[in-house]
Amino acid sequence: MNNYYAMNVIPFPATLDYSKQSIELPGTRRPGQTGHYRNAIWPDTTPPDVPLKNLVDAFHSGLAHSYNDPFLGERPIISRNPLTFANKFVWQTYAEVDVRRRAVGSAVEHFFRSGKCAPGVEGLETVGLWSGNRPEWQIVDLACMAYGKVSVSLYDTFGPDSVEYILKHAEVPIVFASSAHVAALLSVSAKCPALKIIVTFDELQEETRQALNTWGADRGVEIMTLKEVEALGKEKPLDIITPTPDQVATICYTSGTTSLPKGVVITHSQAVAGGLGAFHYDKMNKTSVLLSYLPLAHIYERLGEYGILALGGRIGYFSGDPLRLLEDAQILKPTIFLSVPRVLNRIYLAALPVMSAPGVKGALLRKAVEVKMKQLHETGINTHALWDRLVFGKIAGALGGRVTFLSSGSAPINTKVMDFLKIAFSCYVAEGYGMTENCAICTITLPGDPTASGTIGPPQQPCEVKLVDVPAMGYTAEDKPNPRGELCMRGPVRFSRYYRDEKNTREAIDGEGWLHTGDVGEIDSQGRFKIIDRVKNIMKLAQGEYVALEKVENTYSTCPIVAQIFVHGDSLQDHVLAVVVPDPDALAATAKRAGVNEPGRTAKDFVADKRVVRQVLSDMTKFAKQHGLKGFETVKGVHLSLEPFTSDNGTLTATLKLKRKAAYEMYKDILDGMYAAAPARL
Ligand code: AMP
C-alpha cells in the first residue's frame, strides 16, 4: 500500500446566500470596466493548502482512497458482427492501473533516453493520444504525467489535415492510437518528420501487422502494440519522475470555429488548480461514478476525470456509440453526468410529446411539472416526495437513476431546458462556463438557487472575473440594469500560452494577466454572470441591427422540429435565414398538419414540399415570438435538409460546435438563392 495524501471535496456551507454570490474587491473599479469579482463563499483564489501540487499527486490521492477498488471500467465486446457488448462493466483497480502506467511511462522514458524519440524545439517531450474515450487513454495520460511527458490530445473525429497540423506543430515523436487510426497516421507520417513510433491500443491480426510494419519501415516509423510497450517497461522499470508545478502537463489543441487549431499549454499546477477549484462541491467522493462519453481530448471531460480519480471514484467508458449512451448509462448507473446542451436538449425533447399527450399519462406529467416548477422557483427545492416517485423517477432512470450532479457546459443552454432538468433529475443540476484556456473552470451556478437557470453563476473559487467595455457593440460597465462587457478572467487555472504562437498569446492574455475570453457577459444584482453574446460571432444586418447568431440558434434549438439549426445572416440583407435538420418524428407530424399525408411519402418528400416548409416556418415564427426573439432575429426563410451537420462532413468542430463558414459553403447556393428571391426592403 502507500501513505499518499487523500484529497476530499470542500463542502458548501450549510446555508447559501443567493442574494450575494460574488463579491466585488474594493478599489478595483476603473473607467471602461467593472470591478473585480470573486466567489462570495471562497473569495481567496489561491489553491487550498493541500499537498496536491501536480497531477501525479492527484492519482496518488486516488490510490490512497481506493487502492484495491475499481477505477477504470468498460463493457467487454462479446461479438463484433453485429457489434454487441456485455451487459456489465469490467473494472481495473487503482493498483492495477498504477502498475500499467509505470510500465507504459518507463518504456516511453526509455524511447526518449535512447534517442528513438526526440524532444521538440523547446525541449518538450510530447506524446500524442488519438482515440475515442477508453481506459487505455487514461492509462497513457497517467503514464505521461508520471514520467515528465507532455500529452497532446487529438479528437477521435479529427481528419488527417488536423492530425498532420498538430503532429507537426507539437513535433510529436510517438502517438498512442486505436488501431483504426494507424493507417491515417502512416499516411501523414511523411509530412511529420518527428513521428517515429505508433502504438496501437488494440492487438493486430498478423497479416495487418505485417502490412503495417512494411509500410512503417518505408516511412521510418515503428509500429508497436500497447501490450508490447508495457512488456518493455516492465522489463526495465524506472522510478516516477515527479513533475514541478510549472512543468507543462499537456497541450490541448482547441478546435477553432474560425481559425487553425491553437495549442493551449497547461501546466501541472494549472490543471491541479482546476481540479481543486472543481472540488468546492459536496456531491463527489470515492463512491462517485462518472460516465465518460464527452471527448477526452477536450478539457471539460479531462478535468472531470482528474477530479474523479483524485477522489478514488470510478470512471466507466461508454461503448463509443452515442446511440448506446442511454444503454451504457442504465448499466453503469453514474452519479456524475457531465454534459453539453446538445445531449441535454435531446432528453428534454424526448419528454415533450408525453407532456402534451392526451389522457392520464400526459395530465400526470403536466401536473407534476407545474407543481415542481412552482416549488423550484419559489424555494429552490427540486425534490418532491410524491412526484419524484410517481413521474420523475422514470425520467431520471434513463440515466440509471443515481445522478447526484449533472452539469451543462461548453455552450449556452436554454433556461426552460435547465429548469426541466432540475425538476426531472432532482439533484444538483449546474450550468458551468469555461474554456480550454482556463481548464474549463470559470463560473458555475450554485445548488438550490431558485432562479439560477439562464445564468452561469458566480466565479469559481480559483477565478477572478471582470467585464470590460466593448464600445463597438454598445456594451459598457455603466449599462443599466446590469453592467455588461467582455468577460475577462484570471487566476491559477489560466493557461500559460499558446504553444509556439506569441501573437495569439499576446492577444488573449494582457499585461495584467487577464484572459480575454471573447465572450460578452453581464452580471446581475445577485452577483451571477450570464453570457449574452460573442465579441466575434456577431453580425450587423443591413438596417443596422446586430444579431448574435449563436444566441438565435440556441433559442430555436428547443423548437420541436429542430434537431440541428444553422442561422445565417448577410450584412447586405435585412433578415436572417436558417438551414434546419428536422427531428424525424416532428417532421412527420408537421407534414400531416400541412396536409401532406399521402401514403408512401418519405422524409425526403416532406423536406422538398413547399407546404411543409411553409408550415415549419410558421411554427418556428410562433416559437420565436413566444421565446422573445425580436423581429430581425426571427428567421424569415428556412431550408430543410436531411443531411446532419457532423464533424465528418466538416461542418462541426470536434466539440460539436458549428463551423459557420463550412456550413455556409455547404448551403451557399441555396441561401444566396433565398436572399435573391426575397431581397432586403430598406
Ligand atoms: P472550448 O475552449 O472549446 O471549451 O470553448 C470555450 C467556449 O465555449 C467559451 O469561450 C464560450 O464561448 C463557450 N461556452 C462554454 N461554456 C458556456 C456556457 N455555459 N454558456 C455559453 N457559452 C459557453
Side-chain angles (χ1 to χ4, degrees), residues 298 409-412 431-437 456 519 531 534 657:
H298 188 237
S410 99
E431 177 166 1
Y433 158 81
M435 61 203 300
T436 312
E437 287 83 342
I456 51 166
D519 297 309
I531 299 297
R534 284 276 307 158
K657 287 177 188 159

Side-chain angles (χ1 to χ4, degrees), residues 27 51 57 61 115 144 150 163 227 344 412 478 489 508 513 638 659 663:
D57 293 340
S61 163
C144 289
V150 176
V163 170
K227 216 170 166 183
L344 298 170
E478 306 309 319
M489 67 76 60
V638 67
K659 286 186 168 175

Side-chain angles (χ1 to χ4, degrees), residues 620-662:
M620 284 176 65
T621 307
K622 261 189 227 138
F623 184 90
K625 208 163 182 182
Q626 283 160 3
H627 290 78
L629 287 184
K630 301 194 181 85
F632 59 86
E633 293 172 315
T634 303
V635 302
K636 299 286 168 21
V638 67
H639 170 73
L640 298 177
S641 168
L642 294 179
E643 177 168 3
F645 296 106
T646 62
S647 33
D648 280 348
N649 66 22
T651 50
L652 292 188
T653 68
T655 44
L656 306 178
K657 287 177 188 159
L658 194 63
K659 286 186 168 175
R660 318 198 67 82
K661 201 161 164 276

Side-chain angles (χ1 to χ4, degrees), residues 1-2 4 59-60 62-64 66-74 89-105 135-136 138-140 142-143 147 226 230 234 240 315:
M1 257 297 284
N2 58 73
Y4 294 130
F59 179 64
H60 290 169
L63 274 173
S66 301
Y67 194 77
N68 279 320
D69 293 332
F71 173 26
L72 306 177
E74 63 186 331
F89 276 75
V90 170
W91 296 91
Q92 302 179 52
T93 65
Y94 275 83
E96 285 162 352
V97 171
D98 182 27
V99 171
R100 294 190 67 187
R101 71 158 179 159
R102 284 171 191 267
V104 175
E136 293 86 350
Q138 188 59 258
I139 291 167
V140 174
L142 289 167
Y147 289 83
L226 182 63
E230 287 185 67
K234 270 190 192 148
I240 281 173
I315 302 167

Side-chain angles (χ1 to χ4, degrees), residues 155 253-256 264 298-300 341 408-413 431-438 440 443 455-456 517-519 530-534 550 653 655 657:
Y155 287 89
Y253 280 83
T254 57
S255 48
V264 178
H298 188 237
I299 197 73
Y300 179 23
S408 176
S410 99
I413 185 161
E431 177 166 1
Y433 158 81
M435 61 203 300
T436 312
E437 287 83 342
N438 51 32
T443 72
T455 82
I456 51 166
T517 63
D519 297 309
K530 199 184 234 182
I531 299 297
I532 51 168
D533 219 332
R534 284 276 307 158
E550 285 175 4
T653 68
T655 44
K657 287 177 188 159

